[in-house]
Amino acid sequence: MAKKSTTRRVKNPTTDVILHECALAVGQGIAAAGAINVHPAAAEFWQKRYAPFVRVARKALPWKVARTNVLTVANHLGQVAAQKSDGVTITLQNAKDATQAVLNDPACPAGGGRFCQ
């Protein structure tokens, strides 16, 4: 008889859980560019910038449906931020520039992460 999984799956994760998962995806994008630090002001900017969108989006679309697209965009955001940095630290300005670049990238429209290359 197969053992039941002890991992608990959250059907409707909180905004904080979703933001944490997004932060991990941003970190994966950053890591792909090498070992880079994120200045606390940059992390705070992203948190404040995206938390309201997550709160609204959670009501419109289940996380299970949106997850793949959102995490793809988050990963891309990390990669762009790393490219804009000095190779050591992602600053607040790098975070702002990366956010704008991702929003303006026709291959990666906001909310359409499946198109992100």
Side-chain angles (χ1 to χ4, degrees):
M1 185 159 143
K3 279 180 110 175
K4 281 189 175 181
S5 173
T6 57
T7 304
R8 190 173 139 227
R9 293 201 174 191
V10 179
K11 289 186 180 182
N12 295 313
T14 65
T15 298
D16 287 339
V17 169
I18 292 170
L19 287 172
H20 180 75
E21 195 167 352
C22 289
L24 291 173
V26 170
Q28 289 172 335
I30 291 168
I36 296 176
N37 299 308
V38 178
H39 191 278
E44 184 178 340
F45 166 76
W46 280 327
Q47 172 83 15
K48 287 182 179 179
R49 170 80 168 87
Y50 290 108
F53 293 110
V54 170
R55 285 187 195 99
V56 171
R58 285 182 63 232
K59 295 175 185 171
L61 191 63
W63 179 236
K64 181 179 178 180
V65 174
R67 185 176 184 267
T68 300
N69 290 347
V70 171
L71 295 182
T72 300
V73 173
N75 186 287
H76 184 60
L77 178 65
Q79 290 176 25
V80 172
Q83 291 165 1
K84 292 188 173 293
S85 76
D86 62 5
V88 177
T89 301
I90 294 173
T91 65
L92 174 58
Q93 191 59 52
N94 299 144
K96 289 179 178 182
D97 292 346
T99 297
Q100 197 59 47
V102 169
L103 288 173
N104 293 336
D105 184 349
C108 190
R114 66 185 169 271
F115 304 111
C116 194
Q117 300 296 330

